[in-house]
Amino acid sequence: MTTVQLQTQDDSPDLPLYVSAPKVYPQRVHGVYRRIKWALLIVTLGIYYLLPFVRWNRGPNEPSQAVLVDLAHRKFYFFFIEIWPQEVYYLTGLLILAAMTLFLMNALAGRVWCGYLCPQTIWTDLFLATERLIEGDRRERMLKDAGPWTLARVREKTLKHFTWLMIAWWTGGAWVNYFADAPTLVHDLATFQAPVVSYVWIGILTFTTYVLAGFMREQVCLYMCPWPRIQAALTDEYALNVMYRLDRGEPRTSFKKSLALRAKGEHPGDCIDCSQCVAVCPTGVDIRQGANLGCIQCGLCIDACDSIMEKIGRPPRLIAYDTDVNVARRVAGKANIFKPIRSRTVLYGTIIALVGAVMLLALANRTNLSVSAMHDRNPMFVKTADGSIRNALTLHIVNRKPMARRFAIEAAGFDPAHVEAVGATKGADGWPVVEVGPDQIRELRMLVTVPGATHPPPKQDLAFTVVDVASGEKAMTTDNFIAP
Ligand code: SF4
Ligand code: SF4
């Protein structure tokens, strides 16, 4: 008889549920991509820190800050563009443009955003440069961290964390400058007269920058950011990505062995397994293992490998921006092909062009006056004691000029005597006239009454035209007059 032994216990070795990620010690590297990254870091951080101090003359009663989020008046200023709360569609357009640009960049050159422009990458780079300056390069830092605590080490660590905190504090300070007149706010902050909320936001951003760029670094890209997963689903085999050209690098062997093999007329791969590409990687990835979600496509391993190739007298770009298609083609003995124009790049490019054109057109045709109406819902109409039917609506008149203006409100097809605006005077022709302050929105209660004897239809068109008394500029909105 055969006995079946049931396995009641897990025989696998006891593994911890959570293993800390090993600390990454990226090494200093020189080369083309490092230089590009430094240039972008200086440009982007320069823009971020200095932009709030750029002035833009918009005339009297208007803020003179080029980029300003004016929360108090619910307006956003961007150089010559001024966006009001009613124009939130511009924001939608900008979000679509940003998403499509990111998709297009991804379709052309992989995670180029992650490697060069993402704030997490830029601040991590800055924090790493500070760390290297104070504690030394990779090997030195590793030795120090593995060694005992000495007075010199305590001094270095204190200086490093102090510098990090200063950068983080400056970062938070720059952020709040986008929400108020920057020079005034800086003065108020320094003299402790600024609103408490400014100090709170500086504190929050100091903390998040210090933690994310100083401690979490690649963990943010690996575990917190959704973009690697999204982009992995959006990319294809024609997109340029940082790749180890295995068709050229394999079989890898040590430098000495490769020399010996070449002397015998054999063809070893160009990779000498020096691991310099891994040592410089800010996320600790070995690019030779193929596509990896941890790779932010920063190109630093290209620089590292190029310097090794130069030293051993082999051609550069063993690691390079390349495509999966070309690696496969070379392995099959075929020539490279590049296809930047594909259905997805054309689609993203077309959407960018269309949305951009619509936004530009809307901006070009933007007026200084607009009006909208909101009909009372409950009740839709009222029957007065004399049998008349009255409808109530609220008009929102937006005056985008930096001076007060007077507007006459005309209702098409209705007798001026039957159109009333609460708090308004009547003009010579009988229509209500109101004043709207500079750069303001006026909310106006409108009452339209039709004598019951005229038997109005259950629903008829109602159009309000707001006319600038001085200039004749007009804006119109439509609604319905409701009767029983
Ligand atoms: S740096 Fe170049 S040669 Fe060195 S291990 Fe990486 S791929 Fe190979
Ligand atoms: S593998 Fe190369 S490109 Fe990818 S993150 Fe590391 S250094 Fe940058």
Side-chain angles (χ1 to χ4, degrees):
M1 197 174 95
T2 318
T3 54
V4 179
Q5 196 176 347
L6 291 173
Q7 189 175 338
T8 52
Q9 281 193 336
D10 185 359
D11 292 337
S12 59
D14 284 344
L15 289 173
L17 282 175
Y18 174 77
V19 182
S20 308
K23 189 171 173 189
V24 180
Y25 291 86
Q27 187 174 301
R28 189 196 309 266
V29 63
H30 302 282
V32 176
Y33 294 100
R34 182 63 268 182
R35 282 198 292 279
I36 295 173
K37 275 170 72 67
W38 282 136
L40 287 172
L41 182 143
I42 292 166
V43 170
T44 50
L45 287 185
I47 291 174
Y48 174 69
Y49 289 124
L50 299 177
L51 193 56
F53 296 93
V54 176
R55 304 288 94 189
W56 192 265
N57 186 6
R58 297 189 179 88
N61 304 320
E62 287 292 289
S64 58
Q65 188 153 313
V67 180
L68 177 70
V69 182
D70 186 350
L71 289 177
H73 300 102
R74 299 194 295 152
K75 283 187 220 164
F76 172 57
Y77 298 92
F78 187 82
F79 295 91
F80 64 94
I81 302 171
E82 182 185 323
I83 298 180
W84 289 54
Q86 299 78 6
E87 298 170 314
V88 75
Y89 47 84
Y90 282 116
L91 204 63
T92 313
L94 281 177
L95 287 176
I96 295 172
L97 278 184
M100 287 302 132
T101 308
L102 206 57
F103 289 1
L104 183 61
M105 281 161 89
N106 181 56
L108 292 173
R111 289 169 67 182
V112 70
W113 163 262
C114 301
Y116 297 87
L117 294 165
C118 169
Q120 173 65 16
T121 297
I122 287 177
W123 267 286
T124 301
D125 249 10
L126 188 62
F127 274 49
L128 274 172
T130 314
E131 188 170 69
R132 249 183 244 121
L133 199 71
I134 296 169
E135 291 190 277
D137 208 354
R138 173 183 161 87
R139 183 181 276 271
E140 244 180 304
R141 296 204 306 275
M142 288 171 88
L143 283 173
K144 282 176 186 170
D145 279 0
W149 280 95
T150 61
L151 202 60
R153 200 171 153 218
V154 171
R155 247 196 332 260
E156 277 180 2
K157 291 271 183 210
T158 311
L159 178 62
K160 178 180 86 174
H161 287 284
F162 175 75
T163 317
W164 278 0
L165 276 168
M166 285 298 98
I167 299 171
W169 168 71
W170 197 249
T171 303
W175 176 254
V176 296
N177 280 333
Y178 284 90
F179 295 84
D181 181 64
T184 315
L185 184 62
V186 168
H187 171 269
D188 290 353
L189 284 168
T191 52
F192 299 102
Q193 292 169 25
V196 176
V197 70
S198 317
Y199 296 101
V200 172
W201 272 109
I202 292 176
I204 291 171
L205 285 156
T206 303
F207 176 75
T208 48
T209 310
Y210 177 64
V211 170
L212 295 182
F215 299 93
M216 297 191 69
R217 298 180 180 176
E218 78 284 353
Q219 309 288 327
V220 176
C221 314
L222 290 170
Y223 305 117
M224 289 168 69
C225 178
W227 179 233
R229 282 92 193 158
I230 298 170
Q231 77 86 36
L234 287 173
T235 197
D236 66 10
E237 67 277 24
Y238 290 101
L240 281 168
N241 280 303
V242 176
M243 279 180 194
Y244 167 66
R245 288 173 161 164
L246 55 93
D247 52 304
R248 205 189 112 184
E250 301 297 320
R252 68 183 83 152
T253 183
S254 73
F255 179 52
K256 269 189 186 167
K257 280 186 191 157
S258 73
L259 280 183
L261 287 169
R262 277 184 223 286
K264 284 196 274 177
E266 292 181 29
H267 298 285
D270 277 348
C271 177
I272 57 166
D273 215 4
C274 64
S275 291
Q276 278 305 292
C277 47
V278 185
V280 301
C281 178
T283 59
V285 163
D286 184 347
I287 190 75
R288 296 170 302 167
Q289 290 173 354
N292 189 316
L293 278 186
C295 173
I296 55 168
Q297 309 277 324
C298 64
L300 295 183
C301 53
I302 304 179
D303 285 342
C305 191
D306 277 359
S307 70
I308 298 296
M309 292 298 112
E310 197 185 335
K311 279 185 197 144
I312 66 169
R314 301 296 302 164
R317 299 293 190 267
L318 169 57
I319 301 175
Y321 276 97
D322 205 344
T323 64
D324 285 331
V325 149
N326 280 336
V327 173
R329 284 178 70 88
R330 287 195 304 272
V331 170
K334 295 180 186 165
N336 286 337
I337 51 162
F338 291 100
K339 265 178 79 175
I341 298 173
R342 318 190 293 281
S343 50
R344 68 178 64 209
T345 56
V346 171
L347 175 71
Y348 300 148
T350 310
I351 296 175
I352 290 171
L354 278 177
V355 175
V358 168
M359 284 179 71
L360 280 178
L361 213 68
L363 273 175
N365 292 315
R366 196 167 182 265
T367 59
N368 290 313
L369 173 66
S370 64
V371 61
S372 60
M374 201 194 291
H375 201 292
D376 273 12
R377 293 265 160 241
N378 196 11
M380 296 292 277
F381 61 85
V382 172
K383 210 167 181 181
T384 60
D386 64 358
S388 300
I389 312 297
R390 175 181 292 161
N391 278 206
L393 305 96
T394 305
L395 283 191
H396 289 95
I397 306 171
V398 185
N399 171 22
R400 291 194 189 87
K401 280 204 165 174
M403 77 269 289
R405 293 202 277 174
R406 283 166 57 75
F407 298 102
I409 301 152
E410 301 171 4
F414 289 81
D415 187 333
H418 297 144
V419 178
E420 212 184 310
V422 179
T425 52
K426 288 264 180 185
D429 46 9
W431 293 113
V433 176
V434 287
E435 184 173 296
V436 183
D439 266 319
Q440 279 183 16
I441 304 171
R442 178 151 180 186
E443 210 176 81
L444 202 63
R445 187 113 180 106
M446 301 295 301
L447 303 173
V448 183
T449 313
V450 172
T454 58
H455 301 295
K459 194 174 178 183
Q460 66 176 304
D461 292 344
L462 175 57
F464 288 107
T465 305
V466 174
V467 187
D468 183 337
V469 175
S471 68
E473 187 182 353
K474 290 179 183 175
M476 199 183 86
T477 185
T478 56
D479 211 300
N480 293 301
F481 185 89
I482 309 291

